[in-house]
Amino acid sequence: MSDTSADVVVVGSGVAGGIVAHELAKAGASVLILEAGPWLSRWRVVERFRNSPSKADYMAPYLSQPYAPHPEYAPPNGYLIEKGNVDYAAQYIRAVGGTTWHWAAACWRLLPSDFRLRSLFDVGRDWPFAYDALESYYLRAEADLGVSGPDDVDLGSPRSAPYPMKQIPLSWMDQRFAEVLNGNGFSVVPEPVARNSRPYDGRPTCCGNNNCMPICPIAAQYSGEVHAVKAMRAGARLIASAVVYRIEAGEGGRIAAVHYKDPNGASSRVTGTTFVLAANGIETPKLMLISADDRFPRGIANSSDMVGRNLMDHPGTGVTFLAGEDLWPGRGPIEMTSVVNFRDGTFRAEYAAKKLHLSNSAAVRKVTQDILSRGVIGPELEREIRLRSARTLSINSFHEILPLPENRVLPSSERRDALGIPYPEIHYDVDEYVQRSAAHTHETYAQIADLMGGTEVEFDDAFAPNNHIMGTTIMGEDPVNSVVDGDCRTYDHDNLFVASSSVMPTAGSVNCTLTIAALAHRLADRLRKRA
Amino acid sequence: MMVSQYITGHQDLDRTLGQRLLSALVRRDGGFPQALQTVNLRVQAGVPPERLQSTLGAEGDAVREVPVQIATAWYLGEVGERRPQGAGREDRAANESSPGVEVVAYEKALMFAAVADVLTVPSYCRDLPGYWATPPGASGT
């Protein structure tokens, strides 16, 4: 393919890239989206799920492509090369639409205090701007993704308008859980979710298929392809299976072009006026680092040496127990409530904020496997399946990890994919700030299990990844220790921007997708004004 | 099919599915038909299902595993060895690795039949939106 050109070149077609591309295409810019992965069709993903022996692995229905690999875990494909004390083991999807093909669709806003962690608690970093500066963009993001949320509950993040859709009714289990815990000093609230409580944006009402992860069969839940397609309808071009492997700096450090390979390895050069990297918190810094050249030997946008560093997630621990009453997880969508009273407080000077959430995924398959593995058959098998399906509760958590430069992504010097592009190498550890909080979480789990009449309480204290990849192109006011400024522009390259959770200076304790979408809207606003 | 009916307690098992499960079991272990024949003799002799396994104690592994293999095939819809899973963490990268497992059935797996009065088969819709807000039935019968 010969040279291509556009006003705005967007690398990545997930929720961030899709929204930026859509907004700018609507404003009349010529927009080209380069997506490393292929197009997916929902029905095929549903069929792959139903035929998969690894139904608890949410990556299993999404095939890793040799030319654009992504992590697989059943069995592991080793795509993320883990070099740290704790496995990062993130899941993400390289395909048109990105990782929101499977997600819990939780659409939390950060708290105002999450933007001022250094000022308030003397840990972590501050954002270059306050919550108020993002509020109107949160609203737009909620309208774009289609968020159903509670208007009669204060979630701690001030709102200037109601949610686009009313809250989805809580399951009986979630109602009981909230009732019991809220009567005992906890704060359990309905979770705002990008899941339809009425027909919205051409997509249907959630009817409780209980399969939000790994795939909503009916698209009642938002996924990023919505905005990739909207961007195209607004005039953007999208090239799938186009793996960007080099960012080329030109005169004055301005980015002149990006280069991509097709699945056969044929290379194309794409020139543009403005470049937006939206390829997630692992692939984006990897791309910047492998684009090193004579003038930028540390990599693109990396004069600070911060590209790839400050890798964050929400390390999670869990508990499973048998409740004292029949509650039947599995009725409705897979997650509906959260415990939010540990999201903020003066304790954040000492240990991590966190959110706990009750799973509403059906336990049937897991309990049946367990019962059969004990050799139980006959009438006792069905009695146990019913009892344990009705009473097995599972709670998980997100702990806030601080941005630490030693937690980082690097291009591997050992392994390369079919196109010759290095695999990502991860150096990750979970420090005492999180460990102290997790010890408290363990005690809290025990208390909750007790309140729910729990028996057979099983703690899972190992830190599990939650696929919220943040911090690796960190935003800040000082170019010495930051990759992008408050407008998400790289300090080193006037026309290179990042749309991703990788710009987030703090992680908070909630799912980051709504913040990604809000930051994408804010960036699109800035770029419109430049044009 | 008679042994399957006896082990599962279901008299209305799907014959086509039964044949496919049997084929998968035989593909995995050529000795399966012979082991099944041994178990069948006990069933014919009128051993009650809950005592079946204990009466097979003196037999070899291949025979003793047959009842659970048959129950696993019908209830999970799967044939083959599955590595043990960790605790029930739904949102961590799965610690379930099972490349040797053959999926023969999904929505017809008997585990879902056992809870069909209350729960949907994940990925299927069972009722009007919001049905989940109402109190469910009891687990006991």
Side-chain angles (χ1 to χ4, degrees):
Chain A
M1 188 192 253
S2 57
D3 278 14
T4 315
S5 191
D7 296 339
V8 182
V9 178
V10 180
V11 180
S13 69
V15 60
I19 286 176
V20 171
H22 180 227
E23 290 299 311
L24 294 175
K26 278 196 300 185
S30 74
V31 178
L32 176 63
I33 308 169
L34 300 172
E35 166 55 50
W39 284 94
L40 298 179
S41 47
R42 190 171 296 271
W43 71 269
R44 268 188 207 278
V45 179
V46 173
E47 284 302 298
R48 276 200 211 103
F49 161 75
R50 289 173 179 163
N51 286 297
S52 168
S54 307
K55 293 194 167 63
D57 175 18
Y58 302 142
M59 289 304 291
Y62 300 93
L63 301 181
S64 176
Q65 304 295 331
Y67 60 86
H70 58 216
E72 293 180 324
Y73 296 98
N77 67 349
Y79 181 59
L80 297 186
I81 299 174
E82 306 278 358
K83 297 275 188 175
N85 284 329
V86 173
D87 280 359
Y88 192 75
Q91 303 174 39
Y92 59 89
I93 297 170
R94 294 176 88 184
V96 176
T99 306
T100 47
W101 276 96
H102 75 58
W103 62 315
C107 276
W108 297 92
R109 297 174 171 203
L110 291 172
L111 301 171
S113 55
D114 294 335
F115 292 76
R116 303 185 60 222
L117 211 58
R118 172 60 62 179
S119 300
L120 293 172
F121 309 110
D122 203 28
V123 295
R125 295 168 62 128
D126 284 352
W127 290 53
F129 51 82
Y131 173 85
D132 293 347
L134 206 54
E135 203 280 334
S136 64
Y137 299 106
Y138 269 135
L139 269 188
R140 285 198 222 169
E142 286 160 348
D144 259 5
L145 271 57
V147 177
S148 304
D151 284 318
D152 53 348
V153 181
D154 179 8
L155 299 180
S157 306
R159 311 180 52 79
S160 57
Y163 278 106
M165 284 177 275
K166 69 181 173 64
Q167 174 200 324
I168 294 174
L170 292 187
S171 75
W172 175 257
M173 175 192 72
D174 285 279
Q175 292 173 50
R176 280 289 296 147
F177 184 73
E179 184 182 8
V180 171
L181 265 64
N182 287 341
N184 285 279
F186 288 88
S187 176
V188 178
V189 298
E191 187 156 77
V193 288
R195 197 174 284 134
N196 292 351
S197 62
R198 61 174 168 82
Y200 188 91
D201 200 22
R203 296 180 288 112
T205 307
C206 171
C207 70
N209 303 57
N210 199 244
N211 209 61
C212 319
M213 294 188 284
I215 180 73
C216 172
I218 63 170
Q221 175 173 287
Y222 176 84
S223 61
E225 40 124 38
V226 166
H227 278 89
V229 170
K230 283 189 181 198
M232 292 173 76
R233 290 199 178 129
R237 285 173 295 158
L238 187 152
I239 306 177
S241 303
V243 187
V244 176
Y245 68 95
R246 184 182 162 209
I247 306 167
E248 177 193 329
E251 279 183 36
R254 284 178 63 84
I255 301 306
V258 293
H259 298 250
Y260 75 85
K261 289 183 181 175
D262 71 17
N264 299 315
S267 188
S268 298
R269 182 173 181 264
V270 176
T271 56
T273 311
T274 300
F275 294 83
V276 177
L277 303 179
N280 104 0
I282 289 177
E283 298 297 335
T284 297
K286 188 188 89 177
L287 171 61
M288 292 162 114
L289 293 171
I290 62 176
S291 298
D293 62 18
D294 291 345
R295 275 184 307 157
F296 298 96
R298 284 173 150 177
I300 291 295
N302 197 25
S303 62
S304 65
D305 190 33
M306 285 294 127
V307 170
R309 294 187 182 274
N310 304 297
L311 175 66
M312 296 182 279
D313 183 30
H314 291 122
T317 58
V319 69
T320 302
F321 58 87
L322 222 48
E325 60 188 296
D326 294 345
L327 295 169
W328 293 104
R331 301 170 75 237
I334 64 164
E335 188 177 304
M336 308 199 77
T337 52
S338 285
V339 179
V340 294
N341 47 295
F342 307 110
R343 282 187 67 194
D344 200 17
T346 53
F347 67 85
R348 294 175 82 180
E350 306 298 324
Y351 60 90
K354 61 207 165 197
K355 178 177 85 73
L356 317 183
H357 31 275
L358 175 65
S359 171
N360 189 34
S361 283
V364 182
R365 190 161 182 278
K366 172 75 170 66
V367 303
T368 304
Q369 283 176 12
D370 289 348
I371 300 161
L372 284 164
S373 71
R374 300 201 314 262
V376 176
I377 61 166
E380 183 63 14
L381 173 60
E382 292 215 359
R383 271 199 298 275
E384 285 239 15
I385 290 175
R386 286 186 67 81
L387 178 76
R388 290 176 180 275
S389 295
R391 299 191 173 198
T392 301
L393 297 196
S394 181
I395 305 171
N396 290 295
S397 56
F398 297 156
H399 295 91
E400 172 167 42
I401 193 169
L402 299 173
L404 303 172
E406 57 269 30
N407 286 338
R408 67 189 301 199
V409 180
L410 285 167
S412 169
S413 55
E414 298 160 18
R415 293 195 64 186
R416 291 169 182 267
D417 65 24
L419 296 181
I421 301 170
Y423 278 22
E425 179 178 295
I426 311 281
H427 298 253
Y428 185 63
D429 203 354
V430 174
D431 71 356
E432 288 183 357
Y433 185 75
V434 175
Q435 289 170 13
R436 282 192 289 270
S437 187
H440 172 263
T441 304
H442 183 108
E443 291 169 23
T444 305
Y445 283 152
Q447 187 190 353
I448 292 173
D450 193 46
L451 289 170
M452 298 303 297
T455 52
E456 301 186 30
V457 184
E458 277 184 49
F459 299 95
D460 187 351
D461 293 325
F463 290 112
N466 277 298
N467 323 309
H468 302 156
I469 307 162
M470 296 168 282
T472 48
T473 63
I474 203 159
M475 178 199 294
E477 280 181 337
D478 187 350
V480 167
N481 63 14
S482 307
V483 178
V484 301
D485 65 16
D487 289 341
C488 295
R489 182 208 316 249
T490 60
Y491 276 110
D492 300 349
H493 310 278
D494 185 54
N495 63 336
L496 180 66
F497 298 80
V498 179
S500 166
S501 45
S502 62
V503 303
M504 291 172 66
T506 62
S509 53
V510 291
N511 318 57
C512 54
T513 300
L514 189 72
T515 301
I516 295 175
L519 287 168
H521 266 289
R522 188 166 177 275
L523 172 58
D525 245 18
R526 299 294 189 274
L527 294 178
R528 257 197 308 266
K529 282 168 190 156
R530 277 165 66 93
Chain B
M1 284 305 286
M2 231 188 69
V3 177
S4 289
Q5 286 171 357
Y6 167 87
I7 285 173
T8 63
H10 287 256
Q11 302 308 308
D12 53 349
L13 296 174
D14 183 320
R15 290 196 70 84
T16 308
L17 177 55
Q19 277 157 6
R20 293 192 56 216
L21 291 170
L22 179 61
S23 303
L25 285 162
V26 173
R27 260 198 304 281
R28 192 176 150 272
D29 174 10
F32 185 82
Q34 199 185 342
L36 177 61
Q37 191 51 40
T38 308
V39 174
N40 194 19
L41 291 174
R42 303 296 173 96
V43 172
Q44 303 287 350
V47 177
E50 55 273 20
R51 285 192 48 230
L52 177 63
Q53 282 162 297
S54 56
T55 67
L56 297 173
E59 303 285 346
D61 286 351
V63 173
R64 280 189 284 118
E65 284 169 8
V66 165
V68 173
Q69 281 175 330
I70 290 175
T72 300
W74 282 104
Y75 278 88
L76 288 177
E78 295 171 1
V79 170
E81 290 295 326
R82 180 173 292 283
R83 287 190 216 161
Q85 277 183 274
R89 300 292 293 278
E90 289 295 340
D91 64 351
R92 65 168 34 191
N95 36 23
E96 173 190 43
S97 183
S98 38
V101 170
E102 185 175 344
V103 177
V104 181
Y106 176 59
E107 70 278 6
K108 288 184 176 175
L110 288 185
M111 61 182 167
F112 296 124
V115 296
D117 55 325
V118 187
L119 296 180
T120 193
V121 177
S123 81
Y124 289 88
C125 178
R126 72 172 280 130
D127 206 338
L128 295 174
Y131 79 86
W132 48 83
T134 58
S139 62
T141 47

